[in-house]
Amino acid sequence: MRRLSGRSTIVTILGLAGISAPVLAQSDAPVAAPVETVTLTELPATVASYVTPDALFGQPNGGWNLQTPVTAIGQEAYRLTNYIMNPMMAAVAVFVLILLAYVVIKFRASANPVASRTSHNTTIEVIWTVVPVLLLAFIAVPSFRLLANQYDPPEADLTIKAIGHQWYWEYEYPDQGGFSFDAVMLTDEESAERGSPKLLDTDNRIVVPVGATVKVLTTASDVMHSFAIPSFWVKMDAVPGRINETWFKVDRPGVYFGQCSELCGTKHAFMPIAVEVVSREQFDAWVAAKQAENGIEPEAAAAESEVAAAQPAA
């Protein structure tokens, strides 16, 4: 039998006899430290609701035409493609087909039993040299202008870093304190619940303010990826160990989708890009919620952004 200490023995005997021992119990009980009342502050929801995509903008609609452009660069490229390049290609194709049919019929063996031995025709040779040169020069002027506009962006209002992984995208907002998040493709059920097209929406979308010039820095952590959004006319490779730069400016609120357009592995087709363009007030509220979620002080983030902007470019 285990021996009990004196006070414990008395308490045990009294308990067996049905006699309570409040004085002894109270005297033995340790005094609890006072508990401070903690006031919980409810953080704003990072994503209160998602904008429902418009089937006419920012996604494939099953037609033969390009997606409707929503940026100035996209509209310029759209006009170049539909009003210069496509008509010129159609005209050249029709002309070559007619010329081929003419040659086949006129110079067939039955109509020319004795073949011509002509080896040169100066007029024809000049024409087939000069005409293509003129056509290329006609195309070059708007093409070089578009290329210059693409790679000579205005001053950025917002910078986003897009990092490609196998197989999802990670986004960082360095101007707002450096918070980051991953964007993984939704399942078919989740896309249907949100009203989004299959294989194109993500659990976390890029959020940018309407009318802002957005600079996108692309890189990758494993293999080559490519950040592409057709309605913005944006496509930039994401290369491991290297930073590439592109930009866009959208003047129409809404949701716009893109995909990785580089063959990056077995799940290449399952790493989409979703951009939500909202008002400045909605963007500021979203940034504030993200900063609170990541423990970032807005004043400190703004100070760091100003210091970074003041430093000379390398």
Side-chain angles (χ1 to χ4, degrees), residues 156-177:
D157 301 314
L158 174 67
T159 300
I160 297 175
K161 187 176 182 181
I163 306 168
H165 300 270
Q166 289 182 313
W167 287 268
Y168 64 93
W169 289 96
E170 177 189 356
Y171 302 108
E172 181 181 337
Y173 284 67
D175 296 341
Q176 284 69 36

Side-chain angles (χ1 to χ4, degrees), residues 52 68 91 93 97 109 139 150-151 180 189 201 219 224 229 293 303 306 311:
T52 302
T68 303
L97 181 62
I139 296 172
Q150 284 181 299
Y151 290 96
S180 62
E189 294 76 14
D201 208 350
T219 187
M224 287 184 62
I229 305 175
E293 179 184 307
E306 292 178 357
Q311 293 178 350

